Amino acid sequence: MNSFISRCNTMASCDSGSLSEEFAVPSHVEEVRSVMAAFAEQHGAAGRMVVLITSGGTKVPLESRTVRFLDNFSSGRRGASSAEYFLAHGYAVIFLHRHRSLYPYTRLYTGINLLDCLTLDTVHGSGLVTVDQRKLPNITEVLKRYQEVKSAGLLLPVEFSTLSEYLHLLKAAAQALSSIGSKAMFYLAAAVSDFYIPASEMPEHKIQSSNGPLQISMKMVPKILKPLVKDWAPKAFVTSFKLETDPSILLERARCALDTYKHQAVVANVLDTRHGYVVVVTKDSQKELVLTDEEAQREVEIEEKIVKNLSHAHTQFINQKM
Amino acid sequence: MNSFISRCNTMASCDSGSLSEEFAVPSHVEEVRSVMAAFAEQHGAAGRMVVLITSGGTKVPLESRTVRFLDNFSSGRRGASSAEYFLAHGYAVIFLHRHRSLYPYTRLYTGINLLDCLTLDTVHGSGLVTVDQRKLPNITEVLKRYQEVKSAGLLLPVEFSTLSEYLHLLKAAAQALSSIGSKAMFYLAAAVSDFYIPASEMPEHKIQSSNGPLQISMKMVPKILKPLVKDWAPKAFVTSFKLETDPSILLERARCALDTYKHQAVVANVLDTRHGYVVVVTKDSQKELVLTDEEAQREVEIEEKIVKNLSHAHTQFINQKM
């Protein structure tokens, strides 16, 4: 176990000071913070639980006038579908997502060209453009649900693109949710870069290929989970995700994260099987969630099970705190 | 001028052999090649010119089971809007674009949430879903034009994601277009990575952040423009793009590319001003294209001017060859 412990200990964490020094503060962060705080207070007062979902990958610029960047694979599917299930469980949702990643409800029609689904009424000359419902399956049900959620103000979208934006907006969200204490859940499904180039070491202009092969030296991103759990949202229920490609190290790394950050749950998953199998790891439990073939056939989503499991655990967590 | 010449000469090019060795061949490349060849022959026989547009950025994986990748900034806006203007000039278009980058016509509604634009007829219970046309400006005109282009079979979309896919599909396109000789234009607007990691040097699994800071060593991508112009499409009209962030080196680098590859035109542009100003550089001319304030107000697009300039040059080029 020695190597296991030492590996856990090598992770650098960050405090509020270093965050602003190393990562430029987005200009709109204060404005977004107060919108999120008002959202949390309103729904908290109405007796609702509020979940902050992070979703999609982060962009790490290699040049300050950015042409090239390092990116993480993530369509945002898990975050977007989870948002729908949290809404179905009565939560209000702050959806902190990568610009252009999948969005709740709309995600069901991603990859479909809008113009292929529309019909122009040329016969009656009404000028009406209607939807060909064979091209957008279940559109009436989905649209109805989307409009209900929207008019009830239950979904607050916030966008990020770069790693810096992600880090500062997550911190702002944690502060904004602090007023509702244990009623807040963090569901950190975004694929966040582990590496970055400090602004001070970044070339201003596009790297010239004529200068020969490229050597990139990247620093490790400080682990934001530590200050999040310890300082920014100490009363909240925090769920992180652990994605690996090598199944043999998955659970060890999930336990390692729990031991290090002392939060409530890790959803552990392997890249190739992540849509059908995850393990929810807590301090004293380990629950496998699996889609059966029959469920996969019916297009049940694993996120339905993850959210059911976690919202149950969250309710227990709240009751214990009372 | 010495440093200029030596810089031009340091660029490595690739031949057909090295392309397959270093970059995995996508499984569908033969199938796509024959579809493109049939498209070119059909439209060539109908007396049409055919343009191959490349559009969007390329992804360069850092791991073989890819979680992380290097990406190039590009929404694909220039390629997608240029496709529309080439179609308006009577061209048939092969649109070789990055998966999920902007698409002709549909691009005009990018960033709009589909579900925000639809209305459900709940009053009459018809179940009809219609488009709120205030949310999708000019939708009837755009839809009409899209449907005309589609039913005439004038637009052939081909997708890529990775650098390997891009390189092999571009080569296949060049071979597919060779039957129509000078009637083919290549309009290489994609933002292609200059660097990559050879498959043999790539780690299989996700790079562990616990191993400390990340050192990435990337090789230069061979310049595909050389074999494209020299071997694969020697009779075609070839236009490349040069994007820089530093205006002071722009024209030098554009001339350098023309001198090295001996193709027909370079569209030179600077990142910050690329939507309002470009220079079309040819062997013996240099034409500035600028949007006036009044044109910008009317939402004229610089691509309209680029395409007008190049389709004129292409016609002259064809006539000279006859």
Side-chain angles (χ1 to χ4, degrees), chain B residues 222-276:
Chain B
K223 296 290 173 184
I224 200 164
L225 206 47
K226 191 162 187 182
L228 180 79
V229 174
K230 204 164 155 281
D231 306 320
W232 304 337
K235 293 181 181 161
F237 185 98
V238 177
T239 302
S240 68
F241 283 73
K242 192 51 112 183
L243 175 72
E244 295 291 346
T245 59
D246 180 357
S248 71
I249 61 168
L250 181 68
L251 287 178
E252 175 199 311
R253 299 209 55 83
R255 286 251 158 257
C256 175
L258 269 189
D259 288 349
T260 308
Y261 306 115
K262 320 280 185 210
H263 57 306
Q264 282 65 46
V266 175
V267 179
N269 56 146
V270 172
L271 189 64
D272 293 340
T273 57
R274 69 194 187 284
H275 297 309

Side-chain angles (χ1 to χ4, degrees), chain B residues 15-204:
Chain B
D15 56 42
S16 316
S18 68
L19 188 61
S20 306
E21 273 164 39
E22 303 249 350
F23 301 95
V25 185
S27 58
H28 64 311
V29 70
E30 283 309 320
E31 188 191 330
V32 176
R33 188 204 316 275
S34 45
V35 173
M36 291 190 290
F39 182 88
E41 258 170 57
Q42 177 208 336
H43 289 293
R48 266 182 216 106
M49 292 178 286
V50 179
V51 62
L52 181 286
I53 298 176
T54 69
S55 185
T58 59
K59 231 166 120 159
V60 176
L62 301 187
E63 298 129 338
S64 33
R65 301 196 194 180
T66 307
V67 174
R68 300 191 181 91
F69 52 88
L70 188 80
D71 211 326
N72 275 46
F73 165 80
S74 174
S75 65
R77 176 179 159 167
R78 177 149 284 163
S81 69
S82 298
E84 296 170 22
Y85 295 111
F86 275 113
L87 288 161
H89 275 269
Y91 278 78
V93 175
I94 300 179
F95 189 60
L96 179 58
H97 66 292
R98 166 75 174 269
H99 178 61
R100 302 241 170 108
S101 66
L102 295 186
Y103 195 80
Y105 309 107
T106 318
R107 74 178 171 109
L108 298 163
Y109 307 110
T110 296
I112 299 176
N113 184 334
L114 167 68
L115 297 177
D116 285 329
C117 310
L118 301 182
T119 310
L120 187 60
D121 175 16
T122 45
V123 181
H124 305 94
S126 69
L128 218 60
V129 179
T130 57
V131 167
D132 179 347
Q133 300 191 25
R134 291 163 306 180
K135 303 268 178 68
L136 299 178
N138 303 318
I139 184 68
T140 56
E141 293 78 5
V142 172
L143 183 57
K144 213 180 272 176
R145 183 74 188 118
Y146 175 77
Q147 290 176 341
E148 281 166 10
V149 163
K150 196 176 166 184
S151 66
L154 289 167
L155 176 60
L156 176 65
V158 179
E159 288 193 345
F160 64 86
S161 285
T162 64
L163 174 66
S164 293
E165 288 165 358
Y166 170 83
L167 293 173
H168 284 287
L169 290 170
L170 178 59
K171 182 183 171 189
Q175 294 166 334
L177 287 173
S178 64
S179 69
I180 61 165
S182 63
K183 276 188 167 173
M185 189 197 295
F186 287 80
Y187 185 84
L188 307 174
V192 183
S193 178
D194 291 315
F195 305 103
Y196 77 107
I197 300 180
S200 57
E201 293 171 25
M202 217 181 278
E204 181 186 356

Side-chain angles (χ1 to χ4, degrees), chain A residues 239-289:
Chain A
T239 302
S240 69
F241 282 73
K242 190 52 106 183
L243 176 71
E244 295 292 344
T245 59
D246 180 357
S248 71
I249 60 169
L250 181 68
L251 287 178
E252 176 199 311
R253 299 208 56 82
R255 286 251 158 255
C256 175
L258 270 188
D259 288 349
T260 308
Y261 306 115
K262 318 281 184 210
H263 57 307
Q264 283 64 47
V266 175
V267 179
N269 55 147
V270 171
L271 188 64
D272 293 341
T273 57
R274 69 194 186 284
H275 296 309
Y277 175 79
V278 306
V279 187
V280 180
V281 184
T282 70
K283 191 161 62 87
D284 36 39
S285 76
Q286 195 161 300
K287 173 77 178 165
E288 293 193 328
L289 303 178

Side-chain angles (χ1 to χ4, degrees), chain A residues 73-88:
Chain A
F73 165 80
S74 175
S75 65
R77 175 179 159 168
R78 177 148 284 165
S81 69
S82 298
E84 295 171 21
Y85 295 111
F86 275 113
L87 288 161

